Amino acid sequence: MTCNRSATLLLFFALTLALTAGCGGSAWNDPYPAADAGANTLYTSFSERPKHLDPVQSYAENEFAFIANIYQPPLQYHYLKRPYELIPFGATEVPKPVYLDAAGKSLPDSAPAERVAYSEYVIRIKQGVKYQPHPAFAIDESGKPRYLTLTAADLRGIDTLGDFKHTGTRELEAADYVHQIKRLAHPRLHSPILQLMGEYVIGLKDLADQLTKVAAGLPEEASVDLTQYAVSGVRIIDRHTYAVRVRGKYPQFAYWLAMPFFAPVPPEADRFYDQPGMAKKNITLDWYPVGSGPYMLTVNNPNRQMVLERNPNYRGETYPAEGEPEDGKKGLLADAGKPLPFIDRVVFSLEKEQIPYWNKFLQGYYDASGIGSDTFDQAVQFSGGDITLTEDMVARGIRLQTSLATSVFYLGFNMLDPVVGATPGERARKLRLAISIAVDQEELISIFRNGRGVPSHGPIPPGIFGYRDADAKGINPQVYDWVNNQPQRKNIEQAKKLLAEAGYPNGRDAKTGQPLLLHLDTTSSGADSKARLDWYINQFAKLGVQLVIRATDFNRLQDKLRRGTAQLYFLGWNADYPDPENFLFLLHGAQGRAQTQGENASNYKNAEFDRLFDRMKHMANGPERQAIIDRMIELLRHDAPWVWSYFPKDYTLHHGWVFNRKPNQIANNGLKYQRLDPALRVQRRREWNPPVVWPLVLIGVVLILSAVPAVAAFRRRERRTATMVQS
């Protein structure tokens, strides 16, 4: 009996421990270490491994999410102001270009573009800025570099950057910015902007040609010492000043100075990573960045987790004290003047599926989230025409932010195609306009984007100079009428009339009687994509036109666009910088994809548009530039090389313990401005993740009940044994 009573008591004690374990500390389902519960750490995610973290090679949004917070280009965008405004970052001020003629003599700011041979930008960088701690800067007792002459023996036991025991730092210099410009020309780095910048930065293309010849004569593992070469248009004036000379009048160059391509990279970093044996261990600049920005990458495990930590050497930057008129009311100026960054650590966890990410966000294990189509109704609702959070989201203290992306999506026509392209006369143009009217963008946005978008009336999105609101003067009159103080899509009968005038009454060729078949090449796949493509087929069917979907992969589609053989296609464009040139060049004749491999995938060409583009791109924002843009948009609407689709609207959510979040569609370095209340987060996680103990209780009850017959049988056996002994 004593044995069985002890077993029962032990079982009861174990259950009691299990039931009380969740009463303190972290929740049972917390995916993070218990020691990190109250840490000043932001939790977010990534869905695919960044391909490049070297700022000269990186040109993808998921890569910029890391390197924009690590590196310090000369300029950055003001976090709160709209329209987007350039402000100093590594530089002391935003440089003002000096215009020069062909002889190198200064010209006034008002000089016409045709007189300007060169623009020179003199960039003064801040003094006292230090790089993050890194082995490349480590020095030994004699003051010499500790890790710049490594042998194979030295690398034994070294598998990650963290295996180097010593680190160091030094002050940021102008020469580091110049070194990065040289890296644009490095033949083994394959910078995606070399071709473009080679047309502007004087001497960059010549350096690229020179380095290509040098590299060809070296063994594959041998490095190229860029300090031995120069770019004729780039010069170091003193330790903290350098100058860049660009060809012609190119005011957009200032925007490039806010991108990682022009961030400083110290020569020590190249020498450190270029040593034999390092690349085999994946110890490269493309894997372990070296920056002077607010954060540094301390964990790079793209199959699980990537971690940014505060750069202990970063100082001198404070939270902005001004912004838009409503920012103060929203609490976005409460931290004005306080030193940045606020957050000590940012943990990016790999999440490939939206639903697991969403569930962890609701549990408080991610601090912010987008809204997918599957979770849209759970998060937001329409009330009186406005978007509001659902009651559950409000109860959790979750906040909603909406913003229009500086992006445009469109259905493009190939202007080289004999049916939809620039055939003689009005035939193809009227066909394109008929399709533009028939494809109901308002319905598309409502059905497939849950209302998250704005129909576009041209290529320039809101927030970019040159955009016009869709009012009585700003609508696309080729596709819309102004009715009851709002744009109204022309009815399908008007589209059918245009189609008949194009020679296709009721969707049939007037000469042959054959139905009109058009082909759409698309990379879309999956159930959601099928529904959307079926919708497009039905939109064309309203005209009697048969749309044939040709599924393909991205590379094959790009090949068709390069060869000019696609008829219709889908594409979108995200702004590199907030200037209309960055969108209007998508339709510039000189950028025709089939002829020049440029970004004009429709191969659109209009002599007046091209002439105006060449004037517009050199101009400062103002009434004269706006008037030219208005005329260019008028030409595009008339010619209809695109079905103007929509500007996407972004919806993001964040928990009540996250502060200072404001959508910025151009910059990617917003982590340093955000602030957390870790104690509130711990409290909410406990409230939202109570331990589910009933399964343990049930199991315990079952175990106890199952033990009762055994105990009873044991007792009967004991009694029989005792009776036999007495007998």
Side-chain angles (χ1 to χ4, degrees):
M1 281 296 296
T2 303
C3 178
N4 288 284
R5 188 178 295 113
S6 299
T8 303
L9 287 173
L10 282 172
L11 177 60
F12 177 78
F13 182 65
L15 284 171
T16 302
L17 281 177
L19 292 174
T20 58
C23 296
S26 301
W28 290 6
N29 62 345
D30 194 334
Y32 310 116
D36 294 346
N40 185 22
T41 299
L42 180 75
Y43 294 98
T44 184
S45 75
F46 65 104
S47 59
E48 58 181 343
R49 174 205 157 189
K51 186 176 181 180
H52 294 294
L53 294 177
D54 183 336
V56 87
Q57 299 182 75
S58 173
Y59 206 4
E61 186 176 1
N62 69 317
E63 298 164 357
F64 279 15
F66 296 96
I67 65 174
N69 294 288
I70 296 171
Y71 287 99
Q72 193 173 12
L75 305 179
Q76 63 181 334
Y77 292 96
H78 195 286
Y79 184 58
L80 300 177
K81 288 184 179 181
R82 305 293 184 273
Y84 297 102
E85 178 183 315
L86 285 172
I87 61 173
F89 192 12
T92 58
E93 69 275 320
V94 177
K96 183 180 178 181
V98 174
Y99 299 124
L100 308 169
D101 63 16
K105 295 181 179 179
S106 296
L107 295 171
D109 293 345
S110 59
E114 56 270 19
R115 287 193 60 198
V116 177
Y118 310 105
S119 301
E120 186 161 88
Y121 292 79
V122 176
I123 303 162
R124 297 174 178 84
I125 66 169
K126 296 174 182 176
Q127 298 186 27
V129 176
K130 295 289 186 69
Y131 281 104
Q132 67 181 67
H134 194 276
F137 303 118
I139 56 175
D140 60 20
E141 293 75 9
S142 64
K144 295 181 180 179
R146 186 180 291 270
Y147 297 125
L148 292 186
T149 55
L150 296 174
T151 65
D154 295 328
L155 289 176
R156 291 195 190 102
I158 300 292
D159 297 305
T160 70
L161 191 69
D163 291 331
F164 290 96
K165 295 181 180 180
H166 302 278
T167 62
T169 186
R170 71 161 172 81
E171 186 179 1
L172 177 67
E173 299 179 355
D176 301 329
Y177 286 93
V178 173
H179 184 75
Q180 170 71 344
I181 295 175
K182 295 179 188 178
R183 296 180 81 246
L184 291 171
H186 199 302
R188 294 176 181 169
L189 295 178
H190 308 291
S191 176
I193 69 163
L194 172 60
Q195 184 174 3
L196 175 64
M197 285 297 109
E199 297 296 324
Y200 285 107
V201 178
I202 303 300
L204 186 62
K205 186 179 290 186
D206 294 335
L207 176 61
D209 293 340
Q210 182 182 10
L211 292 179
T212 298
K213 294 176 182 177
V214 170
L218 294 174
E220 187 175 349
E221 66 277 6
S223 61
V224 177
D225 184 1
L226 293 177
T227 62
Q228 303 302 309
Y229 302 90
V231 182
S232 60
V234 182
R235 58 192 174 95
I236 298 172
I237 297 174
D238 58 42
R239 189 182 179 193
H240 296 100
T241 313
Y242 68 105
V244 181
R245 183 172 291 193
V246 299
R247 187 170 285 103
K249 205 172 189 179
Y250 185 53
Q252 291 82 9
F253 184 70
Y255 295 123
W256 287 99
L257 293 177
M259 298 182 72
F261 297 112
F262 287 88
V265 169
E268 294 97 323
D270 277 341
R271 288 197 289 267
F272 174 79
Y273 286 121
D274 283 347
Q275 295 178 92
M278 297 286 259
K280 292 180 180 179
K281 295 175 177 285
N282 211 21
I283 302 178
T284 67
L285 190 69
D286 218 16
W287 196 263
Y288 295 108
V290 184
S292 60
Y295 291 99
M296 55 186 187
L297 186 69
T298 56
V299 176
N300 187 353
N301 180 1
N303 294 319
R304 179 177 173 271
Q305 196 175 80
M306 299 179 72
V307 177
L308 293 177
E309 293 189 34
R310 178 197 294 265
N311 174 4
N313 298 328
Y314 187 78
R315 55 185 53 86
E317 188 178 14
T318 59
Y319 190 87
E322 56 182 348
E324 291 186 286
E326 295 296 314
D327 286 344
K329 297 178 183 178
K330 296 176 180 178
L332 288 169
L333 295 176
D335 291 316
K338 295 181 180 178
L340 299 176
F342 294 120
I343 294 170
D344 294 332
R345 192 164 170 260
V346 185
V347 174
F348 297 80
S349 299
L350 180 65
E351 290 283 0
K352 293 187 176 182
E353 301 294 334
Q354 172 64 27
I355 297 301
Y357 180 91
W358 174 253
N359 289 334
K360 290 176 186 176
F361 169 71
L362 294 181
Q363 293 168 325
Y365 297 129
Y366 286 126
D367 296 313
S369 174
I371 306 177
S373 298
D374 294 337
T375 57
F376 187 84
D377 293 336
Q378 187 179 352
V380 298
Q381 59 190 359
F382 291 92
S383 176
D386 295 328
I387 297 291
T388 59
L389 288 168
T390 60
E391 292 182 4
D392 180 53
M393 298 294 109
V394 173
R396 291 173 178 267
I398 291 172
R399 299 167 187 170
L400 170 68
Q401 289 183 318
T402 64
S403 61
L404 276 172
T406 50
S407 308
V408 62
F409 288 92
Y410 59 91
L411 172 63
F413 298 103
N414 178 13
M415 301 298 282
L416 300 179
D417 183 81
V419 177
V420 301
T423 54
E426 292 281 274
R427 179 169 178 164
R429 186 184 77 85
K430 290 185 175 181
L431 169 60
R432 295 192 298 272
L433 282 176
I435 294 171
S436 298
I437 294 170
V439 179
D440 190 337
Q441 302 301 330
E442 291 77 9
E443 185 175 287
L444 171 75
I445 294 167
S446 175
I447 295 175
F448 297 104
R449 291 193 55 82
N450 304 103
R452 290 175 290 176
V454 174
S456 60
H457 293 252
I460 301 176
I464 304 296
F465 181 84
Y467 169 78
R468 293 284 196 185
D469 289 327
D471 54 20
K473 295 182 179 179
I475 63 169
N476 178 1
Q478 304 288 343
V479 177
Y480 290 86
D481 295 317
W482 188 252
V483 180
N484 297 326
N485 292 319
Q486 63 182 1
Q488 180 175 297
R489 184 172 293 273
K490 294 179 184 292
N491 62 50
I492 196 66
E493 296 306 319
Q494 290 174 280
K496 288 180 177 179
K497 182 175 181 294
L498 284 168
L499 188 66
E501 292 173 0
Y504 302 101
N506 298 316
R508 291 183 174 272
D509 191 310
K511 296 180 180 178
T512 66
Q514 295 297 313
L516 176 60
L517 271 70
L518 298 179
H519 297 84
L520 171 64
D521 287 286
T522 177
T523 59
S524 300
S525 60
D528 291 344
S529 296
K530 183 181 184 306
R532 184 180 298 205
L533 293 174
D534 287 343
W535 179 87
Y536 270 101
I537 290 172
N538 291 333
Q539 298 298 295
F540 279 69
K542 291 188 298 188
L543 296 171
V545 177
Q546 297 181 30
L547 181 65
V548 178
I549 305 297
R550 296 194 295 206
T552 185
D553 59 36
F554 183 75
N555 290 333
R556 191 172 292 115
L557 174 62
Q558 291 299 313
D559 185 57
K560 284 187 174 184
L561 294 176
R562 280 193 294 269
R563 292 186 284 110
T565 57
Q567 192 173 47
L568 286 82
Y569 64 93
F570 291 125
L571 275 183
W573 184 261
N574 298 318
D576 289 320
Y577 46 87
D579 191 87
E581 183 230 19
N582 195 232
F583 289 90
L584 293 173
F585 90 115
L586 298 172
L587 292 155
H588 183 215
Q591 294 282 338
R593 180 73 59 88
Q595 292 87 3
T596 67
Q597 305 306 305
E599 294 297 338
N600 179 0
S602 283
N603 301 295
Y604 171 71
K605 194 167 187 176
N606 178 300
E608 183 181 359
F609 179 91
D610 292 345
R611 186 168 61 254
L612 292 173
F613 177 86
D614 290 335
R615 283 184 59 196
M616 179 278 306
K617 70 177 183 178
H618 297 301
M619 298 174 70
N621 292 341
E624 185 180 358
R625 195 183 198 205
Q626 181 68 64
I628 291 176
I629 291 171
D630 289 343
R631 175 55 183 162
M632 295 171 71
I633 300 298
E634 183 182 356
L635 293 170
L636 294 175
R637 290 168 173 171
H638 176 271
D639 292 345
W642 294 355
V643 173
W644 313 105
S645 296
Y646 63 90
F647 305 122
K649 182 180 287 188
D650 292 340
Y651 286 34
T652 59
L653 303 171
H654 64 271
H655 287 292
W657 57 74
V658 184
F659 303 92
N660 299 338
R661 277 182 65 92
K662 183 173 182 177
N664 190 315
Q665 301 292 342
I666 299 295
N668 295 276
N669 65 340
L671 289 176
K672 61 186 176 183
Y673 302 103
Q674 297 180 47
R675 181 170 56 81
L676 297 170
D677 183 345
L680 178 60
R681 179 170 60 190
V682 170
Q683 178 185 337
R684 292 289 183 263
R685 284 178 177 177
R686 288 176 179 169
E687 293 173 2
W688 297 341
N689 300 277
V692 181
V693 299
W694 66 262
L696 292 175
V697 174
L698 180 60
I699 292 170
V701 170
V702 170
L703 288 173
I704 292 172
L705 291 175
S706 64
V708 170
V711 171
F714 178 81
R715 294 182 64 183
R716 286 195 298 270
R717 188 167 61 252
E718 287 288 306
R719 283 197 295 269
R720 285 199 301 270
T721 303
T723 301
M724 291 174 63
V725 170
Q726 291 174 359
S727 299

